[in-house]
Amino acid sequence: MPQQRSWPFFPSLPQAMLRYDLAAGLTLAAIAIPEQMATARLAGFPPQIGFFAFLAGSFAFAAFGSNRFLSSGADSTIAPIFAGALALLATRGTPQFMALASFLALLVGGILVLGFLLRAGWVADLLSVPVTTGFLAGISIHILISQLPALLGLPNVEGSEFYRVAEIAKHWREANPAAIAIGLGSLATIILGEKISPKLPAALIALVGAAFAVRYFHLEERGVAVLGKVSTEFPHPRFPEIAPADIPQIVGLAIIIAMVIMVQTAATSRSFPNEEGRAPDVDRDYLGVGAGCLLAGLVGAFAVDASPPRTAIVSATGGRSQLSSIVAALVIAALLLFGAALLEHVPNAALAGVLMFIAARIFRLHVMRDIFAKTRGEFALVALTMAAVVALPVQNGVSLSILASLLHGVWTTTRSRLITFARLPGSSVWWPCASSGAEPYGERLEGVLVAAFQAPLSFLNAYGFQSDLREAIDEKPKLVVLEASNIVEIDYTAARILQQAIEDCRAAGADFAIARLESVRAHEALTRFGVMKTLGEGRLFRSVDEATRTLRPNAVASEIQAPTPARWRRWRARQRRSDED
């Protein structure tokens, strides 16, 4: 059997697989051309800058990234964020605006490379699904409002979202019917093409059809705005020059953009892993996207991001490696060199239709419905985040979204409470009392209290733990066993409080033991902070049953009896708080 050849830059890719990457690359190019043009326009740049961003993102990720499907380039998620923030420092489209965007790309790239060096893949987990959903919904509303003037054939409007809506409402009678027809026709074409097959380059078909209509029906003479001449000059690498006074504001914005890119890159990488059952190398993908941002900044473009839709196209069309992204990049480079004249008559209304389709796709209504049906509290996070991104300047809204996600995580941790365990009759298994029904179920040993804390023990929840334990030992047990299987971490404050809890139990006449401390980190922390010394020898066990048999071997078992009304209310309150968490 003849040996298959491999390609120089992709040694793991046999020659027989080349056709798959060629097909996937051509399809990716057909999807990326209209999308990159539209995203560049959304960010306030000429269309060729979107192509430069795609070239930078594709080549850099192919060289440094890990995921073989991931497509990196201009992305509509981050474009409204940095465009809105930079518009406060410089007028859109001016050399100063473009220099600020390029410098921002360099800073973002540096942060992402630092994230790779620090193995900071965990950063992507700091934003919860409700917060991410609300954030994307707010971004989609930004895109929708920003593209309405182009869709209606009206002049572009700058300012807050409320001001833009008011101006559009004031001038809607001046709308151009031809522009509306082109925009809505393009949007309908993309929606129909998506329903027929996601692999169909519906957006490219829509732009070609719209450009043909403009030329054939002479719509430019009827006020339909078009892209106009597209520069074919490739940029020379250079470091952008900006005013030193702008740097502090750019640094804060770069951190926000990098955070969003980390979340989206991690989500994309995890959704399309290289191999089933194998964890993706998210940190390496940060390096790939970060290198793309650095290269984009040096060639005068803006920050790039991983694209879930384009990555899905590569995977669905049989792509086998990053060669598919390089094929797409080469096609776009050829378009810039030899076919830029074909883009001159593309109407702005058609690009607005492309962006509106993207906005509708990132407005995750089905996720919102699911969250609303299952947890009203977290749906409030969706609504709060969406309102903040829309009502405030975009960068402030995104910052508030990140803060809301972190505060929600902290609040959830503080709500962890102590719960009591009972032994299942006829076994050595100890289980939460209410797990088998609405009322306490199981049996208890006379003079034995088995309690558990089902969260890492830290300064955020240690005082609640101490309060619950003091209330529990009011029943005067002779032995308290802490079931610690879920205490995977413990900090200095919590260790101090746990030492005090052990002393409180002994002062009340109860022995104290810990069972099932399975976490190595928690065990090391208890040793380091001196808790093990306070606990004493022979008080650490591998199971609750071992602890009770060793320390209370003659304890009599009895079924749990109905408590007094006051004690029942306290017990139910503790269980309810624990269940809510």
Side-chain angles (χ1 to χ4, degrees), residues 351-395:
L351 291 175
V354 173
L355 287 169
M356 286 188 170
F357 175 77
I358 294 172
R361 189 161 52 186
I362 66 175
F363 194 96
R364 300 173 178 174
L365 184 59
H366 64 288
V367 179
M368 292 185 190
R369 288 174 175 169
D370 189 55
I371 294 172
F372 182 78
K374 295 176 180 176
T375 165
R376 301 297 170 84
E378 293 196 55
F379 181 78
L381 273 179
V382 177
L384 172 66
T385 304
M386 180 171 63
V389 173
V390 172
L392 301 175
V394 181
Q395 69 275 18

Side-chain angles (χ1 to χ4, degrees), residues 78-161:
I78 60 172
I81 305 174
F82 69 74
L86 296 181
L88 301 176
L89 303 176
T91 304
R92 291 181 192 242
T94 62
Q96 183 188 2
F97 180 86
M98 299 175 73
L100 288 170
S102 298
F103 184 75
L104 174 66
L106 293 176
L107 288 180
V108 170
I111 294 172
L112 292 174
V113 172
L114 183 63
F116 160 73
L117 295 175
L118 298 178
R119 313 299 291 175
W122 55 269
V123 172
D125 301 325
L126 294 180
L127 293 185
S128 65
V129 171
V131 168
T132 304
T133 302
F135 157 72
L136 290 176
I139 292 295
S140 72
I141 293 173
H142 268 284
I143 296 174
L144 177 68
I145 294 174
S146 70
Q147 297 308 304
L148 270 178
L151 185 76
L152 299 174
L154 297 174
N156 191 36
V157 180
E158 293 291 345
S160 69
E161 305 310 299

